[in-house]
Amino acid sequence: MNSNQQELWSTLLDNKIVRGDFPKDDHQDSPWYVKVLLTFAGWLASFFVLGFIGVAFSFIIKNSFVMLGASGLIISASYLLFQHSKEDYREHFAMALSLAGQLLMLFAVFDIVSGKDHIAWALTAFLQILLMLFIPNYLHRLFMAFAAVISLQFAALPLGLFYPLGGVLMIICAWVWLNEFTWPAHIRKFRAIGYGLVIGIVEFKTTFIFGITGLGIRRRLSDEYFWSDPWFGALLAAMVLVYIVVTLLKRNSINVRSLPGTLAIMSVLLISALSVNAQGFTSGIMILLLGFASSNRI
């Protein structure tokens, strides 16, 4: 422990925020850029693992239910590796196993629910959310949060639920980052999920901007379902921004009915109204607000 850490710990002790001695951490974490590089390596390795399974155990991929059971075993093995290993190479071997198991399960589910792709994607998203919550690895959680957003996107598009899903993702992301420090023991979990959601939301809105989200489906359903129209998405985004602003005003002891509070709320409502036909603008404002509020430069 260096002098700065000792001084900080003493200050926290004096203010009765912490108790006891400074916690020991023998595990030296790798830089984030090394972890990102190893993640891509894990992706590549997962395809090799799948190829090995396909060649050595060809009978597995011929039966969807056998393939489903095999994928469950592979994911379980990755969970055990994550639980009992802190070395980078073992963690990323576990990552490769997890990705291979998920891909195998994805093939099996698509085969079982043939012709109902939105159900397959919804089930995949559910699996990824479970893995995000229960596998104790920072990078795996981040990637699972991002992958769950992608899967939910493909599940929502055929049903005309693009705009409602965007609002749901925004409110979850806002809640995660606004409660980042509420449970100190789970800060790393919140951050991993939060970063995955932010990256997922950026991807989600970017695909809309470049017109590769199935707009034909949205337009075909817009006459029958109100939630398939842009104004509904703008309304949900406005509610999220108001929630963020009100929370931050209260956190900084500013009365919501005061002039600064009223101006802040009116501003986000105006921004939301102007962004009905500018997809991604409110999401960008949300990310800026959350980052600035928590002094998070990333």
Side-chain angles (χ1 to χ4, degrees), residues 146-290:
F146 172 69
V149 172
I150 304 297
S151 298
L152 287 171
Q153 177 179 336
F154 284 112
L157 284 173
L159 304 175
L161 295 174
F162 179 85
Y163 292 111
L165 178 59
V168 170
L169 292 174
M170 285 180 66
I171 190 63
I172 295 173
C173 183
W175 183 87
V176 167
W177 283 111
L178 290 173
N179 289 279
E180 179 184 3
F181 303 106
T182 303
W183 296 279
H186 300 286
I187 286 178
R188 280 180 59 81
K189 181 186 293 186
F190 271 71
R191 285 180 178 173
I193 295 172
Y195 283 128
L197 287 171
V198 167
I199 297 170
I201 288 172
V202 171
E203 182 279 335
F204 188 78
K205 293 297 183 178
T206 302
T207 56
F208 184 94
I209 293 169
F210 287 98
I212 53 176
T213 57
L215 293 181
I217 296 174
R218 179 184 66 79
R219 288 171 182 154
R220 188 165 62 250
L221 295 174
S222 60
D223 294 335
E224 186 176 355
Y225 303 108
F226 66 89
W227 58 75
S228 298
D229 285 327
W231 68 263
F232 187 73
L235 176 63
L236 292 177
M239 293 170 64
V240 174
L241 289 182
V242 169
Y243 161 67
I244 293 172
V245 168
V246 170
T247 302
L248 294 178
L249 288 172
K250 291 180 177 178
R251 185 173 293 177
N252 291 278
S253 302
I254 299 175
N255 194 323
V256 177
R257 297 182 181 180
S258 66
L259 181 59
T262 303
L263 286 175
I265 293 174
M266 293 300 294
S267 297
V268 297
L269 290 175
L270 179 61
I271 288 170
S272 301
L274 294 174
S275 66
V276 173
N277 293 314
Q279 283 298 314
F281 191 68
T282 48
S283 301
I285 295 295
M286 178 195 74
I287 293 170
L288 287 173
L289 278 173
L290 294 173

Side-chain angles (χ1 to χ4, degrees), residues 57-175:
F57 305 99
S58 58
F59 68 92
I60 291 178
I61 60 176
K62 293 179 180 178
N63 186 300
S64 299
F65 292 99
V66 174
M67 189 159 49
L68 198 62
S71 66
L73 291 174
I74 294 172
I75 293 172
S76 299
S78 72
Y79 172 77
L80 292 174
L81 273 175
F82 277 125
Q83 281 280 66
H84 300 97
S85 176
K86 292 185 178 181
E87 292 84 2
D88 280 344
Y89 73 95
R90 289 187 181 178
E91 285 187 357
H92 289 283
F93 178 66
M95 175 78 80
L97 283 179
S98 176
L99 294 175
Q102 290 175 60
L103 287 171
L104 200 61
M105 186 170 289
L106 184 65
F107 297 149
V109 171
F110 265 88
D111 190 51
I112 293 170
V113 297
S114 180
K116 299 179 180 179
D117 290 355
H118 60 285
I119 295 177
W121 284 115
L123 291 173
T124 302
F126 179 71
L127 169 67
Q128 289 162 341
I129 291 170
L130 289 178
L131 295 176
M132 174 189 75
L133 293 175
F134 294 108
I135 287 188
N137 179 269
Y138 183 90
L139 203 58
H140 191 274
R141 280 200 171 107
L142 188 156
F143 186 77
M144 285 302 99
F146 172 69
V149 172
I150 304 297
S151 298
L152 287 171
Q153 177 179 336
F154 284 112
L157 284 173
L159 304 175
L161 295 174
F162 179 85
Y163 292 111
L165 178 59
V168 170
L169 292 174
M170 285 180 66
I171 190 63
I172 295 173
C173 183
W175 183 87

